[in-house]
């Protein structure tokens, strides 16, 4: 069979659109067999698969994504909803996920919710209507009832990033508990007894794990933890600036601060300068999510960091297994290790 059968008499472009019927006829198989080959079904023999693929190549046929979606076939598309497009951490997470998914023939469609549940609901509905094969989701409010319902009824597998829900959904996140615990133990070892934690996430897994790490280190050392040193309501730079000022104005201010959030260091440093204090002579400082600011500040800031690229990879691999039904759709959590990188911003507390 020659492809010219479908060309006009002048040798120009095809006079009609090539369809799946033409491919099936050329390969000598049923239309359903062509569909199984296109969607990578394992039930097709190698001989039949090669015949169909040869016919597709010869005819230059491209499957219609819209038609595949209408038939319930795979669209080879995965959604990714995250909260803050300004957070450079997500660039590494997206790259890790995209590298894994693209190798398997999937396209990753990325969207930012700006941390608004209404936007999350709209994006979930969009991916549902577009018949996404799966979703990576960094939900803002884990217990938001409408978002939880939408995720539970979406019709595609979902893997949460750095979050958890009271649904049978898998999740991947960093071991923030151990990271903050190690940093706190180090500061306690230097002699610090008033260690403040500035972070967000009272309503998410990351915030709970960081607080638990701080509490565990104090328990292990037999030290009380002053609740006035906990500022856990936002990841915003402005919040960090304001709360640092308030902490440093206390009658008994902290001698060390752990600023656990990507944008918090940008608020803590100017607040410390405004108070006329020097790091680490007057105040020790630890941050999280390593950044150019942490590395280039004077002095360089100690950090709790993890491999965001690896987090994206692990999330994508877990989602692929769920989409292929290689794993049961039960709640499971995978953790990426954190490390405490000691730089020049920590010292014994001032006498």
């Amino acid at each position: 069979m020659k492809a010219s059968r479908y060309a006009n008499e002048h040798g120009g472009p095809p006079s009609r659109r090539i369809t799946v019927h033409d491919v099936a006829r050329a390969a000598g198989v049923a239309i359903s067999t062509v569909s199984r080959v296109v969607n990578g079904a394992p039930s097709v023999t190698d001989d039949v698969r090669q015949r169909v693929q040869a016919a597709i190549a010869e005819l230059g046929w491209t499957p219609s994504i819209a038609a595949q979606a209408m038939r319930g076939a795979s669209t080879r598309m995965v959604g990714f909803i995250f909260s803050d497009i300004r957070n450079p951490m997500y660039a590494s997470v997206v790259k890790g996920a995209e590298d894994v998914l693209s190798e398997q023939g999937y396209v990753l469609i990325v969207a930012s919710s700006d941390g608004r549940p209404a936007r999350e609901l709209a994006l979930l509905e969009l991916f549902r209507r577009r018949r996404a094969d799966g979703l990576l989701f960094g939900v803002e409010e884990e217990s938001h009832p409408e978002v939880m319902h939408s995720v539970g009824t979406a019709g595609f597998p979902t893997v949460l990033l750095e979050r958890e829900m009271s649904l049978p959904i898998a999740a991947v996140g960093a071991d923030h508990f151990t990271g903050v615990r190690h940093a706190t133990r180090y500061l306690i070892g230097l002699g610090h007894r008033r260690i403040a934690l500035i972070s967000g996430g009272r309503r998410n897994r990351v915030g709970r794990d960081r607080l638990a790490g701080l509490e565990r280190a104090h328990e292990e050392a037999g030290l009380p933890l002053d609740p006035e040193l906990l500022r856990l309501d936002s990841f915003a730079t402005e919040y960090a600036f304001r709360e640092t000022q308030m902490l440093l104005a206390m009658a008994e201010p902290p001698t060390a601060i752990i600023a656990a959030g990507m944008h918090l260091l940008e608020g803590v440093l100017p607040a410390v300068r405004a108070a006329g204090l020097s790091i680490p002579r007057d105040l020790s400082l630890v941050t999280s999510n390593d950044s150019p600011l942490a590395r280039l500040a004077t002095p360089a800031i100690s950090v709790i960091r993890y491999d965001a690229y690896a987090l994206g990879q692990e999330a994508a691999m877990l989602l692929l297994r769920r989409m292929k039904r290689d794993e049961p759709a039960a709640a499971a959590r995978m953790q990426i290790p954190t490390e405490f990188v000691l730089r020049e911003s920590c010292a014994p507390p001032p006498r």
Side-chain angles (χ1 to χ4, degrees):
M1 184 207 68
K2 301 294 185 182
S4 58
R5 285 177 51 190
Y6 299 95
N8 62 34
E9 60 182 348
H10 302 291
S15 58
R16 67 180 181 84
R17 184 177 181 275
I18 305 301
T19 69
V20 67
H21 298 272
D22 299 318
V23 175
R25 189 179 305 112
V29 299
I31 294 173
S32 59
T33 301
V34 176
S35 178
R36 289 200 299 274
V37 170
V38 170
N39 290 298
S43 58
V44 182
T45 65
D46 290 340
D47 175 64
V48 170
R49 189 182 305 279
Q50 290 171 6
R51 280 160 46 201
V52 171
Q53 290 173 341
I56 290 173
E58 185 175 6
L59 297 175
W61 176 66
T62 301
S64 167
I65 296 299
Q68 285 182 296
M70 290 177 65
R71 293 192 299 269
S74 170
T75 58
R76 314 301 292 180
M77 184 262 284
V78 170
F80 187 164
I81 303 174
F82 58 91
S83 61
D84 186 2
I85 198 170
R86 299 168 303 170
N87 192 334
M89 179 198 73
Y90 281 115
S92 296
V93 175
V94 168
K95 180 60 176 171
E98 186 177 47
D99 286 351
V100 170
L101 292 167
S102 62
E103 287 184 359
Q104 300 298 318
Y106 289 89
V107 174
L108 185 65
I109 306 298
V110 179
S112 173
S113 68
D114 200 28
R116 294 184 289 118
R119 176 68 174 160
E120 291 174 339
L121 289 168
L123 291 170
L124 285 163
E125 176 61 17
L126 174 63
F127 285 127
R128 187 192 65 79
R129 286 191 283 107
R130 294 294 180 90
R131 294 187 178 271
D133 292 309
L135 177 69
L136 301 173
F137 191 13
V139 63
E140 181 69 12
E141 296 182 26
E142 296 172 337
S143 59
H144 192 283
E146 292 180 69
V147 174
M148 287 180 61
H149 176 76
S150 184
V151 171
T153 60
F156 45 66
T158 298
V159 170
L160 299 176
L161 289 126
E162 297 276 54
R163 299 292 187 267
E164 66 179 358
M165 283 182 163
S166 55
L167 295 171
I169 298 177
V172 177
D175 186 4
H176 299 286
F177 170 84
T178 300
V180 172
R181 180 187 179 194
H182 282 173
T184 306
R185 290 174 66 181
Y186 178 77
L187 291 169
I188 290 174
L190 289 176
H192 292 276
R193 297 297 181 264
R194 292 187 60 76
I195 303 170
L197 176 62
I198 303 176
S199 188
R202 287 183 186 272
R203 294 175 292 181
N204 64 56
R205 175 68 184 263
V206 173
R208 291 191 295 271
D209 282 356
R210 284 169 171 163
L211 175 58
L214 184 82
E215 292 173 334
R216 178 65 62 83
H218 279 78
E219 291 170 2
E220 292 171 340
L223 297 174
L225 177 59
D226 184 353
E228 291 298 316
L229 297 177
L230 305 178
R231 309 300 169 103
L232 308 175
D233 293 315
S234 175
F235 290 116
T237 299
E238 298 79 8
Y239 176 79
F241 180 78
R242 182 179 69 252
E243 296 303 319
T244 301
Q245 287 186 311
M246 294 176 66
L247 285 166
L248 298 179
M250 295 175 65
E252 290 186 72
T255 59
I257 293 176
I258 299 175
M262 176 60 73
H263 300 297
L264 298 180
L265 184 61
E266 300 169 35
V268 173
L269 288 177
V272 172
R273 286 198 301 269
L277 301 180
S278 174
I279 298 172
R281 185 191 64 197
D282 304 312
L283 179 76
S284 290
L285 179 60
V286 175
T287 190
S288 67
N289 304 96
D290 206 0
S291 66
L293 177 59
R295 294 189 296 270
L296 299 176
T298 304
I301 308 301
S302 299
V303 298
I304 303 161
R305 71 183 182 190
Y306 62 93
D307 188 342
Y309 179 85
L311 190 150
Q313 285 184 308
E314 291 294 338
M317 288 188 287
L318 179 55
L319 183 61
L320 281 171
R321 293 195 294 271
R322 292 299 169 93
M323 291 191 298
K324 295 176 181 178
R325 293 178 172 82
D326 290 342
E327 289 190 4
R333 180 177 174 83
M334 297 180 61
Q335 289 204 140
I336 303 298
T338 53
E339 60 177 340
F340 177 45
V341 182
L342 184 62
R343 292 179 178 147
E344 304 158 12
S345 61
C346 298
R351 294 183 178 180

